[in-house]
Amino acid sequence: ISAPKRAAWAMARWVRSAGVILTSESRPIVLRYLAWTRRCRTAGALAGLMGPVIYSQVVHGEPPDPRNEDGGASFVLLLVGYLLGALIAEVIVNRPGRSSGAALLIPRRIQDYLPGYALFLQRGLATLSVVMIPVYVLVEPHARHDQMPAVAAAAAFGLMGAGIAVVVELLQRMIVARRQPAMSTGDVAVDDAMRSSSLHVLSGVGIAFLINIAGGMLLLSVFAVLADPLAGITAIVFFLLIFPTSIFFWFDLAKPQGFKVRRGEGQGVSA
């Protein structure tokens, strides 16, 4: 399939999902938005994945040994690159011009642009990551295994989850609060749909991060109090649950899924 056909197909799918009608003014805006957000996220993910290989080649003169375990670092860097790519797309590429903006009659709320479960998971998993820190502090001295992570390392890991959640929600609020160009009612709906799509993408990658962090904190505490072989079986089960679940939310929230922006339902639209 040629690139123009792929772009047209992606835009048609997005329009059906968002339930909006494009005009001659909004069509090129949506086309550019979809093209550049996809390019930036893909480039960011590839950069995160290939970064260690390029670094090793440049610094050490040879690629990293594939037999060495990276402890999931490749997946983490992939998510980091994807998140940075999404940020670049929103802040630089898709940023509207400053010359025009509209005052709002109806305030925008982040929960109007995201399904309730996504916002709940963002905040709930971040809370769980932090709550598991004192739990690990209590169980670590009684751990049945050697080489358990130090309390300080586990605490830093858990707090990283809270930090990621805060950064993701701040970015989402920035997108929601961004000034809306003066446009017709139909094009306002298109603009809202693009904001919602961006929030879904950020929520997906944020939840993927948080599932692994909160799940990892929970696994550490459970693993510490279990003896082998039950501890090893539990670790395998956790991995088989956590990793695929994080991948599911990442990809599911990033794709068009028929979510309709709820702002202003029954109250009119912004001016």
Side-chain angles (χ1 to χ4, degrees):
I1 302 176
S2 64
K5 287 184 178 180
R6 285 199 304 269
W9 177 83
M11 185 168 66
R13 182 186 179 196
W14 184 88
V15 168
R16 287 195 303 269
S17 172
V20 296
I21 298 175
L22 299 183
T23 64
S24 57
E25 292 182 358
S26 61
R27 185 178 298 276
I29 295 174
V30 170
L31 187 61
R32 180 178 185 273
Y33 167 79
L34 294 176
W36 279 104
T37 50
R38 183 179 66 252
R39 291 167 185 167
C40 289
R41 298 196 309 256
T42 302
L46 289 175
L49 184 63
M50 298 302 297
V53 176
I54 297 173
Y55 174 82
S56 181
Q57 186 70 52
V58 171
V59 175
H60 302 292
E62 59 182 14
D65 189 344
R67 295 172 296 179
N68 293 335
E69 295 291 337
D70 64 1
S74 296
F75 180 65
V76 171
L77 291 173
L78 180 71
L79 289 178
V80 169
Y82 186 91
L83 181 60
L84 290 176
L87 175 61
I88 290 172
E90 292 302 325
V91 175
I92 300 176
V93 178
N94 291 318
R95 185 175 184 177
R98 298 182 179 181
S99 58
S100 62
L104 291 175
L105 297 179
I106 301 170
R108 299 193 193 101
R109 304 175 305 170
I110 191 172
Q111 57 265 37
D112 293 335
Y113 292 82
L114 274 177
Y117 76 88
L119 201 54
F120 172 80
L121 285 175
Q122 284 181 206
R123 296 168 177 174
L125 289 169
T127 302
L128 179 60
S129 299
V130 176
V131 168
M132 291 308 301
I133 294 175
V135 174
Y136 185 75
V137 170
L138 293 175
V139 301
E140 192 273 339
H142 310 287
R144 300 186 178 188
H145 309 276
D146 297 330
Q147 298 181 337
M148 291 294 294
V151 169
F157 187 63
L159 291 174
M160 182 174 69
I164 289 172
V166 169
V167 169
V168 167
E169 186 157 336
L170 285 175
L171 292 174
Q172 290 171 333
R173 291 184 180 277
M174 177 194 74
I175 294 170
V176 168
R178 189 168 57 200
R179 290 179 65 83
Q180 197 163 43
M183 53 179 66
S184 66
T185 299
D187 288 346
V188 167
V190 173
D191 182 78
D192 275 340
M194 289 191 294
R195 293 172 196 261
S196 179
S197 294
S198 297
L199 263 65
H200 277 70
V201 168
L202 291 173
S203 183
V205 70
I207 289 173
F209 264 123
L210 291 167
I211 286 175
N212 284 277
I213 293 174
M217 290 295 297
L218 184 60
L219 174 60
L220 283 177
S221 298
V222 172
F223 185 83
V225 299
L226 295 178
D228 288 327
L230 186 57
I233 295 173
T234 302
I236 294 173
V237 170
F238 262 76
F239 177 79
L240 293 177
L241 288 175
I242 292 172
F243 187 71
T245 301
S246 65
I247 294 291
F248 168 79
F249 279 105
W250 178 19
F251 283 95
D252 185 66
L253 280 166
K255 70 182 182 183
Q257 51 183 304
F259 178 81
K260 303 297 188 297
V261 175
R262 296 183 290 261
R263 181 172 68 87
E265 289 182 348
Q267 305 176 55
V269 295
S270 62

